[in-house]
Amino acid sequence: MQSVGTLLRIGSLRSKLVILVLSVSLVAAGATALIAFVGGSRSLEVAAFDELTAVRETKAAHVEDYFAQTREQVVRFSEDRMVVDALAAFSDAFFEFESASGDTRAQVDSRLSRYYQSEFIPRLEETTARAATSRQYEPSDPRVRDLQDQFIATNPNPTGQKDRLDEADDGSAYSAVHSFYHPLMRNFQQGFGYYDVFLIEAQSGNIVYSVFKEIDFATSLETGPHRDSGLADAFDRAMEIRVDSPDIASHAALEDFRPYAPSFGAPASFIASPIVEDGELIGVVAFQMPVDRINQIMTSNFEWRANGFGDSGETYIVGSDSRLRSESRFLVEDETAYLEAIERAGVDTGTIATIDSIDSAIGLQPVDTPGVQEALAGLSDTDTFRDYRHVQVLSSYRPLDIADVEWVILSEIDESEAFEAIRQFRTLALLWLLVAGAVFVFVAVLYSRRLVTPIRALSATAAAIAAGDLEVGIEGGGSDEITELANSFSTMRDSLVGLVGRQDRAIEALTTPLIPMGDGIVLLPIVGELDSRRMVRISDELVDGVHRRAAQVVLVDMTGLRTTADADNDDEALSLLLNAFRAVRLLGVLVIMTGVQADLATRLTGSGHDTTEMATETTLRLGLRRAGAHLENSTAIAPAEGSNR
């Protein structure tokens, strides 16, 4: 079976047709595939950004609504009669506090210091990866130390569960007030998911009550160890709020997330509202915002894949300091890989160690990307850039509308995942192009064969006709242009056959007749090329004519006879002619060859033909003279002038 390379010889008509058809087809198919790929890729990219923007807007609405509801809730809570009464009762009990436990000052101080040194400081150092001393955090006020001893140090519940104690066993009025209000406040805190709830009196800023009972309990936010904390700032701002403003949203102050030592260095945010009784500011209520609630909103309860985020999609919040305010998906799913990624991205080792210790990146992970910068500048848009892991992502970003904080929200997905569909589309487009190319090649070869085969047949026919085969057949019978060409070839061949026939007859008329030259002498002129078929006819005519005319001398004039390029053909023709001359000699007739040309003489001698019995003369005139002399002297033929025997 012929290979494609054999069928498609370079430069052949068939190869040119195949190349032409294939080129046009592939250009058309390639252009179609390119247009489809570019258009499809753009559509997929737009769809990916649209999906990110939709997720961003949904999450942003939830977060904004949550903070708006929280703001309204803390304001309404501060106005609640029970809360007003609770603050008044706790404040009175706080300033009148006297423990009836009977323990000495030294015993109380020893227990409390031991709690700080053996419980609080180790936990703080573990989570923050920084050295700390109890002196930094232990309160100095004896009243505060007594309350912390009763509700924290000697609280039988473990750290993180100190809120389970309703009443301390010290017989104090404070414990009695606590036993009444604490279950109600705790139910509120747990029911709405706040980390903690604080009641802070206005006189000296003491936290006269907290649900969770961390080491900020009972301390002063003006002079105590936590006076520089986010809770202290929220308290100060709430104390300056004018509650007669009609805008309820302005009745609360929100502080952004930042590390909070009483919560073992975890990031904490606070929202506070003033408590007014009979027109007098008596204190502040504050909520410690739950990180988990914000994370639930941003992470869809950590069910990223189930909620259509794929393997790398996430939505997160960044604060004005360009640090995370919600948890990183990658920290939650694969902490080791996440820490390695941010290390490669250039995050300092101290920050990485802290994130590793507390298992949280909130307030720690820097996110200084183009999207964050533009969103902090008040812009909303979509773009492609490297995220905080230094991975190329598609991002949709905008600022959040939350009072008192400057936060932005970003919804992102790794570019490699987002464009996976585009890569698959490109692969399919290339595959389609290859398949189409193979089909085009097959069709082009098939139809070029159908087109070129009759042309090749005509070419072979033309070559056969050129070689002298006028009997070759020419196929026709169709109706296309090639068939018309074949019919024209057939007509041309028929005309050529007629022409050649007429030429042959003319030549035969010129070469085969014996021309009488006088009594007993005939002339046989031979013109044209040596040809075996003609020599047969000449031989037959010569022998028969000499016999019929009773000739005694035959003059064979070869002046017009030419050799051909085919030596074998010439040799065969000369052999036939010489045999005819010998046959005539057997009849007693003298054969005189005249006008033999140089090329014919060379062919005669070179072929080894015996011409010794043949008389030759250079010209017909000399041949006639010799023929006359032969007739005059029939007994012998003497060599004539200029002859060669």
Side-chain angles (χ1 to χ4, degrees):
M1 184 176 178
Q2 288 179 297
S3 66
V4 174
T6 303
L7 291 171
L8 304 182
R9 296 189 305 276
I10 295 177
S12 67
L13 176 60
R14 188 175 185 186
S15 66
K16 292 176 181 177
L17 287 172
V18 170
I19 292 172
L20 176 62
V21 173
L22 189 58
S23 299
V24 172
S25 301
L26 289 180
V27 168
T32 303
L34 180 61
I35 292 172
F37 173 71
V38 172
S41 298
R42 181 55 185 164
S43 297
L44 290 172
E45 182 178 355
V46 170
F49 276 122
D50 287 346
E51 185 175 354
L52 289 174
T53 300
V55 172
R56 181 198 74 188
E57 291 303 307
T58 300
K59 298 296 184 183
H62 287 171
V63 172
E64 291 169 348
D65 288 346
Y66 171 72
F67 276 94
Q69 292 170 6
T70 300
R71 183 175 292 273
E72 182 175 0
Q73 191 171 56
V74 73
V75 172
R76 298 305 183 193
F77 192 74
S78 70
E79 297 172 345
D80 189 273
R81 186 70 249 176
M82 184 204 75
V83 176
V84 175
D85 291 344
L87 176 60
F90 275 118
S91 296
D92 292 343
F94 176 82
F95 287 110
E96 296 172 0
F97 178 76
E98 289 185 6
S99 175
S101 65
D103 292 334
T104 64
R105 177 83 268 152
Q107 289 175 317
V108 171
D109 289 344
S110 175
R111 284 197 301 267
L112 187 62
S113 295
R114 186 165 55 252
Y115 171 81
Y116 272 90
Q117 293 169 5
S118 62
E119 180 70 18
F120 175 73
I121 294 299
R123 284 175 176 265
L124 179 65
E125 290 180 335
E126 180 182 0
T127 56
T128 61
R130 293 184 177 87
T133 62
S134 62
R135 185 180 304 173
Q136 297 174 262
Y137 303 103
E138 280 192 54
S140 58
D141 187 327
R143 181 188 296 110
V144 176
R145 293 182 69 85
D146 286 343
L147 283 168
Q148 286 198 356
D149 175 57
Q150 291 298 319
F151 286 89
I152 298 177
T154 61
N155 188 328
N157 298 293
T159 299
Q161 300 178 17
K162 300 295 184 180
D163 60 313
R164 292 184 177 182
L165 178 65
D166 291 340
E167 183 178 4
D169 188 21
D170 63 353
S172 66
Y174 184 91
S175 292
V177 172
H178 190 276
S179 67
F180 178 78
Y181 285 107
H182 180 63
L184 300 174
M185 303 291 278
R186 180 178 57 202
N187 288 342
F188 175 84
Q189 173 258 328
Q190 292 177 350
F192 288 96
Y194 293 109
Y195 183 87
D196 207 348
V197 176
F198 306 89
L199 295 177
I200 309 164
E201 54 83 25
Q203 182 178 340
S204 57
N206 284 94
I207 302 173
V208 295
Y209 171 79
S210 72
V211 173
F212 214 53
K213 299 301 184 299
E214 293 185 320
I215 65 167
D216 50 9
F217 169 63
T219 62
S220 171
L221 294 177
E222 293 183 352
T223 60
H226 311 298
R227 59 186 178 274
D228 296 324
S229 66
L231 178 58
D233 290 342
F235 167 73
D236 291 340
R237 290 176 55 207
M239 290 289 289
E240 298 174 358
I241 292 174
R242 291 174 54 87
V243 293
D244 57 352
S245 170
D247 182 12
I248 191 172
S250 67
H251 293 187
L254 175 65
E255 278 296 315
D256 201 347
F257 282 96
R258 65 190 200 218
Y260 187 57
S263 298
F264 303 103
S269 171
F270 301 91
I271 189 168
S273 183
I275 299 176
V276 178
E277 184 178 27
D278 298 330
E280 180 185 353
L281 180 61
I282 65 172
V284 169
V285 62
F287 298 161
Q288 184 169 345
M289 302 294 290
V291 173
D292 291 343
R293 177 58 184 150
I294 298 173
N295 280 333
Q296 286 174 357
I297 295 174
M298 301 307 296
T299 64
S300 301
N301 293 318
F302 305 106
E303 295 291 336
W304 287 280
R305 291 180 180 83
N307 286 277
F309 284 87
D311 293 328
S312 62
E314 66 167 341
T315 304
Y316 56 91
I317 297 172
V318 179
S320 57
D321 59 353
S322 297
R323 293 181 185 273
L324 285 179
R325 293 296 186 270
S326 62
E327 205 60 85
S328 166
R329 170 183 182 172
F330 305 100
L331 172 61
V332 174
E333 292 189 330
D334 191 342
E335 182 176 351
T336 301
Y338 164 78
L339 295 175
E340 292 174 352
I342 63 174
E343 182 180 11
R344 290 193 299 269
V347 177
D348 66 88
T349 55
T351 299
I352 294 175
T354 303
I355 293 174
D356 188 20
S357 297
I358 66 175
D359 293 328
S360 175
I362 297 175
L364 297 170
Q365 172 67 60
V367 190
D368 191 19
T369 63
V372 170
Q373 295 169 4
E374 292 197 9
L376 288 174
L379 301 177
S380 299
D381 204 350
T382 59
D383 201 357
T384 303
F385 49 76
R386 294 192 180 277
D387 70 351
Y388 57 87
R389 300 166 297 141
H390 207 61
V391 173
Q392 194 78 3
V393 296
L394 274 65
S395 179
S396 179
Y397 50 85
R398 79 164 176 89
L400 286 170
D401 184 15
I402 301 174
D404 297 329
V405 293
E406 190 179 1
W407 288 0
V408 299
I409 185 171
L410 299 94
S411 186
E412 296 177 346
I413 188 170
D414 288 2
E415 185 182 61
S416 58
E417 181 178 4
F419 288 164
E420 177 61 27
I422 295 178
R423 284 191 292 273
Q424 292 178 356
F425 184 76
R426 178 180 60 194
T427 301
L428 288 175
L430 290 175
L431 181 59
W432 178 86
L433 188 60
L434 290 175
V435 172
V439 172
F440 292 149
V441 169
F442 175 77
V443 172
V445 170
L446 178 63
Y447 279 92
S448 67
R449 180 176 182 179
R450 295 183 62 179
L451 181 65
V452 172
T453 297
I455 295 177
R456 284 184 173 173
L458 288 177
S459 177
T461 299
I465 292 174
D469 184 6
L470 298 181
E471 302 298 327
V472 64
I474 301 177
E475 295 182 3
S479 60
D480 58 11
E481 288 79 358
I482 296 178
T483 301
E484 292 179 1
L485 180 62
N487 293 334
S488 298
F489 257 84
S490 180
T491 301
M492 180 189 72
R493 182 206 58 187
D494 293 342
S495 298
L496 188 59
V497 169
L499 177 62
V500 171
R502 289 192 296 273
Q503 288 179 340
D504 284 346
R505 288 190 294 274
I507 292 173
E508 288 179 6
L510 292 173
T511 58
T512 60
L514 292 174
I515 302 173
M517 299 297 292
D519 292 338
I521 302 174
V522 294
L523 172 64
L524 176 65
I526 303 177
V527 297
E529 293 183 342
L530 287 168
D531 182 10
S532 300
R533 292 186 300 110
R534 290 178 57 226
M535 294 304 108
V536 171
R537 292 196 297 272
I538 291 172
S539 298
D540 293 342
E541 180 65 22
L542 175 62
V543 175
D544 184 63
V546 168
H547 176 71
R548 283 187 288 104
R549 289 177 172 81
Q552 299 180 33
V553 179
V554 177
L555 293 173
V556 182
D557 185 43
M558 298 182 178
T559 304
L561 184 61
R562 297 288 181 266
T563 61
T564 68
D566 188 349
D568 292 336
N569 172 73
D570 292 355
D571 184 56
E572 182 180 359
L574 289 173
S575 295
L576 291 171
L577 187 60
L578 293 176
N579 287 337
F581 293 167
R582 293 189 186 94
V584 171
R585 288 293 302 270
L586 290 176
L587 296 177
V589 178
L590 175 65
V591 178
I592 303 172
M593 294 186 297
T594 65
V596 176
Q597 302 299 309
D599 56 344
L600 181 60
T602 301
R603 188 75 80 201
L604 283 168
T605 56
S607 299
H609 294 292
D610 183 11
T611 60
T612 56
E613 297 181 359
M614 307 302 167
T616 60
E617 294 293 344
T618 56
T619 64
L620 179 59
R621 181 176 62 82
L622 293 176
L624 286 171
R625 182 183 298 174
R626 186 168 182 174
H630 174 76
L631 292 176
E632 290 177 0
N633 186 10
S634 57
T635 57
I637 299 176
E641 179 183 356
S643 65
N644 175 36
R645 180 176 175 124

